Amino acid sequence: MTTASKDRFESPDFYALDGLLSEEHLLIRQSIRDFVKKEISPNIEEWSQKAHFPYEIVKKFGDVGAFGPTIPQEYGGGGLDYISYGLIMQEIERGDSGMRSTASVQGSLVMYPIYKFGNEAQRKKYLPKLASGEWLGCFGLTEPDHGSNPSGMTTNFKDAGDHYILNGAKMWISNAPKSDVAVVWAKSEEGRIHGLIVERGMEGFTTPETHGKWSLRASTTGELVFDNVKVPKENLLEGKSGLGAPMMCLDSARFGIAWGAIGAAMDCYDSAKNYSQERIQFGKPIGSFQLIQKKLAEMLTEITKSQLLNYRLGQLFNEGKASTAQISLAKRNAVEVALNIAREARQIHGGMGITGEYPMMRHMANLESVVTYEGTHDIHLLILGKEITGIPAFE
């Protein structure tokens, strides 16, 4: 490993937010930071260059408690609060957005709905195996023709006596090609949206992989295809139906993204700060030039504002008071901040910034997916616009 590519990350904390964190929060963050420095940082550039998903990381995520940290301990989760969850996502995405996607889908989009909407038998069957990393899960909502408008989905299931018959397809599904379990959203014969747990091996269920991605290259992405799949009736998530059910899952995932994207921003800022002090031009470090200092000062300002925003949102989540619009604001802000910082940091590194010795181009490419998934950048604007005016612009 070259000197430049060693993980020397130090977290910026300009407003001493660590003083607001509990001892437990600090321990959790440090354990995940150490995990990322050991398991992800030394390998991530090679994984990304080769578009390789390191399946062995799934069990390691389970061992370190990255899957379902807010799920109660009796089901294998961590029983932690949402600030802990945010810190975990921040540290993992500091390593790589694709790695964070793997963890965030497992916890927020697979374990959360099974815990929240499932019955006790479903919780006991699935959650411990998902928490430990023995099983990998995915979340099937987006379809080839229905992304920002999930209510238009055509995937459907029909009652066939002691089971359901599921037909349709989902697209852009993180974890799909390697998943053992899929939480799939489909319409009943009455047109009502329900969640179904579909397991690997059910006849007619396939998960073709998506190739040729320029983004999230170390994450595995694919489709979910259902061709007359027989799903046992006990696999229906009975606790909640309607579009509000998957939207609740997305709220939890978007919260994790808000923290995660700032982790990526921190990584780019830290690399740029170090490089500016070491790169000599015109006989002195480039960090001595006004324009470089301006870039670094603006990066630190935006990271600090986002840290405060995320912390407050974590408090609201813990109190059960966080609204969808508040979550949209944080997700949208964090990804925009991270993208801008990645681009500015790349410029500070000059030509070296496009190489795999430094993380900016990889973060930048990854964030182009993050700015689109879990609600696009513009859709989050319209969610806020509806909150402000009371008028939905997307209907």
Side-chain angles (χ1 to χ4, degrees), residues 33-81:
R33 186 170 295 171
D34 291 344
F35 172 84
V36 168
K37 287 189 175 189
K38 179 185 176 186
E39 300 289 349
I40 295 176
S41 299
N43 306 303
I44 189 60
E45 294 296 341
E46 182 181 359
W47 293 340
S48 294
Q49 292 277 0
K50 294 181 177 179
H52 169 68
F53 173 64
Y55 184 71
E56 65 277 8
I57 203 75
V58 175
K59 188 68 173 67
K60 292 177 180 179
F61 273 145
D63 291 342
V64 81
F67 290 150
T70 63
I71 299 294
Q73 290 179 333
E74 63 185 290
Y75 303 113
L80 303 175
D81 71 350

Short mmCIF file of all heavy atoms in Angstrom, two decimals, residues 33-81:
data_model
loop_
_atom_site.label_atom_id
_atom_site.label_comp_id
_atom_site.label_asym_id
_atom_site.label_seq_id
_atom_site.Cartn_x
_atom_site.Cartn_y
_atom_site.Cartn_z
N ARG A 33 -15.11 2.52 13.28
CA ARG A 33 -14.00 3.18 12.59
C ARG A 33 -12.81 2.24 12.48
O ARG A 33 -12.17 2.15 11.42
CB ARG A 33 -13.61 4.46 13.33
CG ARG A 33 -12.55 5.29 12.62
CD ARG A 33 -12.39 6.65 13.27
NE ARG A 33 -13.59 7.45 13.12
CZ ARG A 33 -13.80 8.61 13.74
NH1 ARG A 33 -12.89 9.09 14.56
NH2 ARG A 33 -14.92 9.29 13.55
N ASP A 34 -12.51 1.53 13.56
CA ASP A 34 -11.41 0.57 13.54
C ASP A 34 -11.69 -0.55 12.54
O ASP A 34 -10.79 -1.00 11.82
CB ASP A 34 -11.20 -0.03 14.94
CG ASP A 34 -10.66 0.99 15.94
OD1 ASP A 34 -10.16 2.04 15.51
OD2 ASP A 34 -10.76 0.71 17.15
N PHE A 35 -12.96 -0.99 12.51
CA PHE A 35 -13.36 -2.04 11.57
C PHE A 35 -13.14 -1.58 10.13
O PHE A 35 -12.59 -2.33 9.29
CB PHE A 35 -14.83 -2.40 11.80
CG PHE A 35 -15.41 -3.34 10.79
CD1 PHE A 35 -15.25 -4.71 10.90
CD2 PHE A 35 -16.13 -2.85 9.70
CE1 PHE A 35 -15.78 -5.58 9.96
CE2 PHE A 35 -16.67 -3.71 8.75
CZ PHE A 35 -16.49 -5.08 8.89
N VAL A 36 -13.56 -0.37 9.82
CA VAL A 36 -13.41 0.16 8.46
C VAL A 36 -11.94 0.27 8.09
O VAL A 36 -11.53 -0.10 6.97
CB VAL A 36 -14.12 1.53 8.34
CG1 VAL A 36 -13.74 2.23 7.03
CG2 VAL A 36 -15.64 1.34 8.41
N LYS A 37 -11.12 0.75 9.02
CA LYS A 37 -9.69 0.90 8.73
C LYS A 37 -9.02 -0.45 8.49
O LYS A 37 -8.08 -0.55 7.69
CB LYS A 37 -9.00 1.64 9.88
CG LYS A 37 -9.33 3.13 9.92
CD LYS A 37 -8.46 3.88 10.92
CE LYS A 37 -8.74 5.37 10.85
NZ LYS A 37 -7.77 6.17 11.64
N LYS A 38 -9.51 -1.48 9.16
CA LYS A 38 -8.91 -2.80 9.02
C LYS A 38 -9.47 -3.59 7.85
O LYS A 38 -8.72 -4.20 7.07
CB LYS A 38 -9.12 -3.59 10.32
CG LYS A 38 -8.56 -5.01 10.27
CD LYS A 38 -8.91 -5.79 11.53
CE LYS A 38 -8.43 -7.24 11.43
NZ LYS A 38 -8.87 -8.06 12.59
N GLU A 39 -10.81 -3.60 7.70
CA GLU A 39 -11.45 -4.52 6.76
C GLU A 39 -11.81 -3.90 5.41
O GLU A 39 -11.91 -4.60 4.41
CB GLU A 39 -12.73 -5.09 7.39
CG GLU A 39 -12.50 -5.88 8.68
CD GLU A 39 -11.81 -7.21 8.46
OE1 GLU A 39 -11.67 -7.63 7.28
OE2 GLU A 39 -11.38 -7.83 9.45
N ILE A 40 -12.05 -2.59 5.38
CA ILE A 40 -12.54 -1.96 4.14
C ILE A 40 -11.48 -1.12 3.45
O ILE A 40 -11.18 -1.31 2.27
CB ILE A 40 -13.82 -1.13 4.42
CG1 ILE A 40 -14.96 -2.06 4.87
CG2 ILE A 40 -14.23 -0.33 3.18
CD1 ILE A 40 -16.24 -1.36 5.26
N SER A 41 -10.87 -0.17 4.19
CA SER A 41 -9.93 0.77 3.56
C SER A 41 -8.80 0.11 2.78
O SER A 41 -8.48 0.56 1.67
CB SER A 41 -9.35 1.72 4.62
OG SER A 41 -10.38 2.47 5.22
N PRO A 42 -8.17 -0.94 3.29
CA PRO A 42 -7.05 -1.53 2.54
C PRO A 42 -7.46 -2.20 1.22
O PRO A 42 -6.61 -2.45 0.37
CB PRO A 42 -6.47 -2.58 3.51
CG PRO A 42 -6.98 -2.20 4.86
CD PRO A 42 -8.32 -1.60 4.61
N ASN A 43 -8.74 -2.49 1.07
CA ASN A 43 -9.20 -3.29 -0.06
C ASN A 43 -10.16 -2.59 -1.01
O ASN A 43 -10.38 -3.05 -2.13
CB ASN A 43 -9.92 -4.55 0.47
CG ASN A 43 -9.06 -5.35 1.43
OD1 ASN A 43 -7.96 -5.76 1.08
ND2 ASN A 43 -9.55 -5.55 2.65
N ILE A 44 -10.75 -1.47 -0.55
CA ILE A 44 -11.91 -0.93 -1.27
C ILE A 44 -11.58 -0.46 -2.68
O ILE A 44 -12.40 -0.61 -3.60
CB ILE A 44 -12.59 0.19 -0.45
CG1 ILE A 44 -13.92 0.59 -1.08
CG2 ILE A 44 -11.68 1.39 -0.27
CD1 ILE A 44 -14.94 -0.53 -1.18
N GLU A 45 -10.39 0.10 -2.88
CA GLU A 45 -10.06 0.58 -4.23
C GLU A 45 -9.98 -0.59 -5.22
O GLU A 45 -10.49 -0.51 -6.33
CB GLU A 45 -8.75 1.37 -4.23
CG GLU A 45 -8.81 2.67 -3.45
CD GLU A 45 -9.78 3.69 -4.02
OE1 GLU A 45 -10.16 3.57 -5.21
OE2 GLU A 45 -10.17 4.61 -3.29
N GLU A 46 -9.38 -1.69 -4.78
CA GLU A 46 -9.30 -2.87 -5.64
C GLU A 46 -10.68 -3.45 -5.91
O GLU A 46 -11.00 -3.81 -7.05
CB GLU A 46 -8.40 -3.93 -5.00
CG GLU A 46 -8.23 -5.17 -5.88
CD GLU A 46 -7.36 -6.24 -5.25
OE1 GLU A 46 -6.87 -6.02 -4.12
OE2 GLU A 46 -7.19 -7.30 -5.88
N TRP A 47 -11.51 -3.55 -4.85
CA TRP A 47 -12.87 -4.06 -5.05
C TRP A 47 -13.63 -3.20 -6.06
O TRP A 47 -14.31 -3.72 -6.94
CB TRP A 47 -13.62 -4.08 -3.73
CG TRP A 47 -13.10 -5.05 -2.71
CD1 TRP A 47 -12.31 -6.15 -2.93
CD2 TRP A 47 -13.34 -5.00 -1.29
NE1 TRP A 47 -12.04 -6.78 -1.74
CE2 TRP A 47 -12.66 -6.11 -0.72
CE3 TRP A 47 -14.05 -4.14 -0.45
CZ2 TRP A 47 -12.68 -6.36 0.65
CZ3 TRP A 47 -14.08 -4.39 0.92
CH2 TRP A 47 -13.40 -5.49 1.46
N SER A 48 -13.49 -1.89 -5.92
CA SER A 48 -14.22 -0.98 -6.82
C SER A 48 -13.70 -1.07 -8.23
O SER A 48 -14.48 -1.11 -9.20
CB SER A 48 -14.13 0.46 -6.30
OG SER A 48 -14.81 0.59 -5.07
N GLN A 49 -12.38 -1.08 -8.37
CA GLN A 49 -11.79 -1.17 -9.72
C GLN A 49 -12.25 -2.44 -10.43
O GLN A 49 -12.51 -2.42 -11.64
CB GLN A 49 -10.26 -1.16 -9.61
CG GLN A 49 -9.67 0.16 -9.13
CD GLN A 49 -9.50 1.19 -10.23
OE1 GLN A 49 -9.82 0.93 -11.39
NE2 GLN A 49 -9.01 2.36 -9.86
N LYS A 50 -12.36 -3.53 -9.67
CA LYS A 50 -12.72 -4.82 -10.26
C LYS A 50 -14.22 -5.10 -10.24
O LYS A 50 -14.66 -6.17 -10.68
CB LYS A 50 -11.99 -5.95 -9.53
CG LYS A 50 -10.48 -5.91 -9.71
CD LYS A 50 -9.80 -7.07 -9.00
CE LYS A 50 -8.30 -7.07 -9.25
NZ LYS A 50 -7.62 -8.18 -8.52
N ALA A 51 -15.01 -4.13 -9.73
CA ALA A 51 -16.46 -4.32 -9.57
C ALA A 51 -16.76 -5.62 -8.82
O ALA A 51 -17.58 -6.44 -9.21
CB ALA A 51 -17.17 -4.32 -10.93
N HIS A 52 -16.03 -5.79 -7.72
CA HIS A 52 -16.13 -7.01 -6.92
C HIS A 52 -16.87 -6.74 -5.62
O HIS A 52 -16.51 -5.84 -4.86
CB HIS A 52 -14.73 -7.53 -6.61
CG HIS A 52 -14.70 -8.63 -5.59
ND1 HIS A 52 -15.22 -9.89 -5.83
CD2 HIS A 52 -14.23 -8.65 -4.30
CE1 HIS A 52 -15.05 -10.64 -4.74
NE2 HIS A 52 -14.47 -9.92 -3.80
N PHE A 53 -17.93 -7.52 -5.37
CA PHE A 53 -18.62 -7.45 -4.07
C PHE A 53 -18.01 -8.51 -3.16
O PHE A 53 -18.11 -9.71 -3.43
CB PHE A 53 -20.12 -7.71 -4.23
CG PHE A 53 -20.84 -7.81 -2.91
CD1 PHE A 53 -20.90 -6.73 -2.05
CD2 PHE A 53 -21.46 -9.00 -2.53
CE1 PHE A 53 -21.57 -6.82 -0.82
CE2 PHE A 53 -22.13 -9.11 -1.31
CZ PHE A 53 -22.18 -8.01 -0.45
N PRO A 54 -17.36 -8.09 -2.06
CA PRO A 54 -16.71 -9.04 -1.17
C PRO A 54 -17.74 -9.70 -0.25
O PRO A 54 -18.00 -9.20 0.85
CB PRO A 54 -15.74 -8.16 -0.39
CG PRO A 54 -16.42 -6.83 -0.32
CD PRO A 54 -17.20 -6.69 -1.60
N TYR A 55 -18.28 -10.81 -0.66
CA TYR A 55 -19.38 -11.43 0.10
C TYR A 55 -18.98 -11.75 1.54
O TYR A 55 -19.82 -11.74 2.44
CB TYR A 55 -19.86 -12.71 -0.61
CG TYR A 55 -21.05 -13.34 0.08
CD1 TYR A 55 -22.30 -12.74 0.02
CD2 TYR A 55 -20.91 -14.51 0.82
CE1 TYR A 55 -23.39 -13.30 0.68
CE2 TYR A 55 -21.99 -15.08 1.47
CZ TYR A 55 -23.23 -14.46 1.39
OH TYR A 55 -24.30 -15.01 2.05
N GLU A 56 -17.68 -11.96 1.77
CA GLU A 56 -17.22 -12.29 3.12
C GLU A 56 -17.46 -11.13 4.10
O GLU A 56 -17.49 -11.32 5.31
CB GLU A 56 -15.75 -12.67 3.12
CG GLU A 56 -14.78 -11.57 2.71
CD GLU A 56 -14.60 -11.40 1.21
OE1 GLU A 56 -15.35 -12.04 0.43
OE2 GLU A 56 -13.73 -10.61 0.82
N ILE A 57 -17.66 -9.92 3.56
CA ILE A 57 -17.88 -8.75 4.43
C ILE A 57 -19.23 -8.86 5.15
O ILE A 57 -19.44 -8.25 6.20
CB ILE A 57 -17.80 -7.44 3.61
CG1 ILE A 57 -17.47 -6.24 4.52
CG2 ILE A 57 -19.09 -7.14 2.87
CD1 ILE A 57 -16.05 -6.16 4.97
N VAL A 58 -20.16 -9.63 4.59
CA VAL A 58 -21.51 -9.75 5.18
C VAL A 58 -21.42 -10.33 6.59
O VAL A 58 -21.98 -9.77 7.55
CB VAL A 58 -22.43 -10.60 4.28
CG1 VAL A 58 -23.78 -10.81 4.95
CG2 VAL A 58 -22.61 -9.94 2.92
N LYS A 59 -20.71 -11.43 6.73
CA LYS A 59 -20.56 -12.04 8.06
C LYS A 59 -19.79 -11.11 9.00
O LYS A 59 -20.10 -11.01 10.19
CB LYS A 59 -19.85 -13.38 7.93
CG LYS A 59 -19.81 -14.18 9.23
CD LYS A 59 -21.20 -14.66 9.62
CE LYS A 59 -21.17 -15.60 10.82
NZ LYS A 59 -20.76 -14.93 12.08
N LYS A 60 -18.80 -10.41 8.46
CA LYS A 60 -18.02 -9.49 9.29
C LYS A 60 -18.87 -8.32 9.77
O LYS A 60 -18.73 -7.87 10.92
CB LYS A 60 -16.80 -8.99 8.50
CG LYS A 60 -15.78 -10.08 8.22
CD LYS A 60 -14.63 -9.57 7.37
CE LYS A 60 -13.62 -10.69 7.09
NZ LYS A 60 -12.50 -10.23 6.25
N PHE A 61 -19.76 -7.83 8.91
CA PHE A 61 -20.70 -6.78 9.34
C PHE A 61 -21.59 -7.29 10.48
O PHE A 61 -21.88 -6.58 11.44
CB PHE A 61 -21.59 -6.33 8.17
CG PHE A 61 -21.01 -5.24 7.32
CD1 PHE A 61 -21.25 -5.22 5.94
CD2 PHE A 61 -20.26 -4.23 7.86
CE1 PHE A 61 -20.74 -4.20 5.14
CE2 PHE A 61 -19.73 -3.20 7.08
CZ PHE A 61 -19.97 -3.20 5.71
N GLY A 62 -22.02 -8.54 10.35
CA GLY A 62 -22.84 -9.14 11.41
C GLY A 62 -22.08 -9.22 12.72
O GLY A 62 -22.59 -8.88 13.79
N ASP A 63 -20.82 -9.63 12.64
CA ASP A 63 -20.00 -9.78 13.84
C ASP A 63 -19.77 -8.46 14.56
O ASP A 63 -19.68 -8.42 15.79
CB ASP A 63 -18.65 -10.41 13.49
CG ASP A 63 -18.76 -11.86 13.05
OD1 ASP A 63 -19.81 -12.50 13.35
OD2 ASP A 63 -17.82 -12.37 12.41
N VAL A 64 -19.66 -7.36 13.78
CA VAL A 64 -19.35 -6.06 14.38
C VAL A 64 -20.62 -5.29 14.78
O VAL A 64 -20.55 -4.20 15.33
CB VAL A 64 -18.45 -5.24 13.43
CG1 VAL A 64 -19.28 -4.55 12.33
CG2 VAL A 64 -17.61 -4.22 14.18
N GLY A 65 -21.80 -5.87 14.50
CA GLY A 65 -23.05 -5.25 14.92
C GLY A 65 -23.59 -4.18 13.99
O GLY A 65 -24.35 -3.30 14.41
N ALA A 66 -23.22 -4.26 12.70
CA ALA A 66 -23.66 -3.24 11.74
C ALA A 66 -25.05 -3.51 11.17
O ALA A 66 -25.63 -2.64 10.52
CB ALA A 66 -22.65 -3.14 10.60
N PHE A 67 -25.58 -4.71 11.38
CA PHE A 67 -26.89 -5.06 10.84
C PHE A 67 -27.98 -4.90 11.91
O PHE A 67 -27.94 -5.56 12.95
CB PHE A 67 -26.90 -6.50 10.33
CG PHE A 67 -26.08 -6.74 9.10
CD1 PHE A 67 -25.47 -7.98 8.87
CD2 PHE A 67 -25.93 -5.76 8.13
CE1 PHE A 67 -24.72 -8.21 7.73
CE2 PHE A 67 -25.18 -5.98 6.98
CZ PHE A 67 -24.57 -7.21 6.77
N GLY A 68 -28.94 -4.02 11.63
CA GLY A 68 -30.07 -3.85 12.54
C GLY A 68 -29.68 -3.39 13.93
O GLY A 68 -30.17 -3.95 14.91
N PRO A 69 -28.84 -2.36 14.04
CA PRO A 69 -28.40 -1.95 15.38
C PRO A 69 -29.54 -1.45 16.28
O PRO A 69 -29.41 -1.51 17.50
CB PRO A 69 -27.38 -0.84 15.11
CG PRO A 69 -27.61 -0.40 13.70
CD PRO A 69 -28.16 -1.58 12.98
N THR A 70 -30.64 -0.97 15.68
CA THR A 70 -31.75 -0.49 16.52
C THR A 70 -32.78 -1.59 16.82
O THR A 70 -33.71 -1.36 17.59
CB THR A 70 -32.48 0.69 15.83
OG1 THR A 70 -33.07 0.24 14.60
CG2 THR A 70 -31.53 1.84 15.54
N ILE A 71 -32.61 -2.77 16.22
CA ILE A 71 -33.51 -3.89 16.49
C ILE A 71 -33.22 -4.43 17.89
O ILE A 71 -32.07 -4.53 18.30
CB ILE A 71 -33.31 -5.00 15.43
CG1 ILE A 71 -33.64 -4.47 14.01
CG2 ILE A 71 -34.16 -6.23 15.74
CD1 ILE A 71 -35.06 -4.11 13.76
N PRO A 72 -34.25 -4.80 18.67
CA PRO A 72 -34.02 -5.31 20.03
C PRO A 72 -33.07 -6.50 20.06
O PRO A 72 -33.02 -7.31 19.12
CB PRO A 72 -35.42 -5.70 20.49
CG PRO A 72 -36.34 -4.82 19.73
CD PRO A 72 -35.69 -4.66 18.38
N GLN A 73 -32.35 -6.61 21.15
CA GLN A 73 -31.34 -7.65 21.30
C GLN A 73 -31.95 -9.06 21.25
O GLN A 73 -31.29 -10.00 20.82
CB GLN A 73 -30.57 -7.46 22.60
CG GLN A 73 -29.67 -6.24 22.58
CD GLN A 73 -28.92 -6.04 23.89
OE1 GLN A 73 -29.39 -6.45 24.95
NE2 GLN A 73 -27.76 -5.41 23.83
N GLU A 74 -33.20 -9.19 21.68
CA GLU A 74 -33.81 -10.53 21.69
C GLU A 74 -33.93 -11.11 20.30
O GLU A 74 -34.09 -12.33 20.13
CB GLU A 74 -35.19 -10.48 22.36
CG GLU A 74 -36.20 -9.61 21.63
CD GLU A 74 -37.52 -9.50 22.39
OE1 GLU A 74 -38.24 -10.52 22.46
OE2 GLU A 74 -37.82 -8.40 22.90
N TYR A 75 -33.86 -10.27 19.26
CA TYR A 75 -33.93 -10.75 17.88
C TYR A 75 -32.57 -10.68 17.19
O TYR A 75 -32.47 -10.80 15.97
CB TYR A 75 -34.96 -9.95 17.08
CG TYR A 75 -36.34 -9.98 17.68
CD1 TYR A 75 -36.92 -8.82 18.21
CD2 TYR A 75 -37.07 -11.17 17.74
CE1 TYR A 75 -38.19 -8.86 18.77
CE2 TYR A 75 -38.34 -11.21 18.30
CZ TYR A 75 -38.89 -10.05 18.83
OH TYR A 75 -40.15 -10.09 19.39
N GLY A 76 -31.52 -10.46 17.97
CA GLY A 76 -30.17 -10.44 17.41
C GLY A 76 -29.64 -9.05 17.10
O GLY A 76 -28.47 -8.91 16.70
N GLY A 77 -30.48 -8.02 17.25
CA GLY A 77 -30.04 -6.65 16.98
C GLY A 77 -29.23 -6.08 18.12
O GLY A 77 -28.94 -6.76 19.12
N GLY A 78 -28.89 -4.81 18.00
CA GLY A 78 -28.05 -4.17 19.01
C GLY A 78 -28.82 -3.50 20.13
O GLY A 78 -28.25 -3.17 21.17
N GLY A 79 -30.13 -3.24 19.89
CA GLY A 79 -30.92 -2.53 20.89
C GLY A 79 -30.43 -1.11 21.13
O GLY A 79 -30.58 -0.56 22.22
N LEU A 80 -29.83 -0.51 20.11
CA LEU A 80 -29.21 0.82 20.25
C LEU A 80 -30.17 1.92 19.81
O LEU A 80 -31.21 1.67 19.20
CB LEU A 80 -27.94 0.88 19.40
CG LEU A 80 -26.87 -0.17 19.72
CD1 LEU A 80 -25.72 -0.07 18.70
CD2 LEU A 80 -26.34 -0.03 21.14
N ASP A 81 -29.79 3.17 20.09
CA ASP A 81 -30.61 4.30 19.67
C ASP A 81 -30.23 4.73 18.25
O ASP A 81 -29.32 4.17 17.63
CB ASP A 81 -30.50 5.46 20.66
CG ASP A 81 -29.13 6.16 20.60
OD1 ASP A 81 -28.21 5.63 19.94
OD2 ASP A 81 -28.99 7.23 21.21
#
